[in-house]
């Protein structure tokens, strides 16, 4: 009796990679969309700055903003900074119209954190679904 052995490792690895890439694009796209919906809006610059990027070679996805204000929205500033290590006592600043304002800081809104918490279970379930569907 002879046994015919077929080595399918490469095909399986490629199929797993394709599932992972599909999931990374879907998950990071959904997360960046939710962050934009969570974002507080005054001018819209920060809201429109959120992007998702997938590095297929590293199998990593990033959701980020290049707007400096995104950091302030996420972590707060001054007396309201999340870590409690912000500037105390307040300060004056001049806005883009040249008007001066006094502030003690900005309260954190946490749009990225809240989007992650809101979508975490759904993203995990979708990963399971994608791998289950495509690996059969």
């Amino acid at each position: 009796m002879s046994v015919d052995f077929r080595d399918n490792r490469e095909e399986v690895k490629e199929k797993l990679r394709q599932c992972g890439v599909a999931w990374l694009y879907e998950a990071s796209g959904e997360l960046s969309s939710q962050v934009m919906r969570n974002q507080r809006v005054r001018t819209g610059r920060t809201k429109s700055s959120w992007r998702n990027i997938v590095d297929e070679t590293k199998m990593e996805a990033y959701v980020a903003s290049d707007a400096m204000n995104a950091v302030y929205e996420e972590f707060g500033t001054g007396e309201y900074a999340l870590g409690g290590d912000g500037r105390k006592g307040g300060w004056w600043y001049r806005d883009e119209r040249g008007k001066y304002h006094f502030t003690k800081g900005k309260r954190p809104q946490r749009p990225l954190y809240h989007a992650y918490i809101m979508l975490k279970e759904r993203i995990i379930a979708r990963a399971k679904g994608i791998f289950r569907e495509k690996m059969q």
Side-chain angles (χ1 to χ4, degrees):
M1 177 165 145
S2 69
V3 176
D4 184 25
F5 177 76
R6 267 186 61 204
D7 186 356
N8 294 319
R9 285 181 294 179
E10 294 307 313
E11 291 88 1
V12 170
K13 286 179 188 177
E14 179 57 25
K15 191 76 159 181
L16 282 169
R17 191 194 74 71
Q18 290 172 1
C19 290
V21 167
W23 174 73
L24 287 171
Y25 276 105
E26 189 173 318
S28 64
E30 182 63 32
L31 187 59
S32 65
S33 294
Q34 186 61 51
V35 173
M36 286 188 260
R37 288 190 292 272
N38 291 355
Q39 187 69 55
R40 178 169 48 183
V41 179
R42 193 177 100 214
T43 66
R45 286 186 294 229
T46 304
K47 181 177 182 174
S48 64
S49 71
W50 287 97
R51 302 281 183 270
N52 61 300
I53 300 165
V54 175
D55 185 336
E56 294 182 18
T57 58
K58 292 182 178 180
M59 296 299 288
E60 296 176 348
Y62 308 92
V63 175
S65 168
D66 60 358
M68 181 57 92
N69 188 53
V71 175
Y72 305 150
E73 288 287 316
E74 192 67 32
F75 298 108
T77 63
E79 295 180 7
Y80 308 112
L82 270 183
D85 55 352
R87 188 186 324 179
K88 308 292 186 239
W91 64 94
W92 288 91
Y93 73 95
R94 192 167 94 186
D95 67 17
E96 54 273 351
R97 294 184 192 111
K99 186 176 178 182
Y100 283 90
H101 303 272
F102 180 79
T103 185
K104 290 188 176 188
K106 183 182 235 183
R107 294 182 192 277
Q109 297 300 309
R110 312 289 318 267
L112 180 59
Y113 174 77
H114 291 301
Y116 167 74
I117 295 300
M118 178 186 291
L119 296 175
K120 180 181 175 183
E121 295 303 319
R122 192 179 328 163
I123 288 172
I124 291 170
R126 186 62 187 130
K128 290 176 182 177
I130 287 174
F131 281 90
R132 190 177 301 115
E133 292 165 13
K134 297 190 184 220
M135 290 306 290
Q136 291 182 3

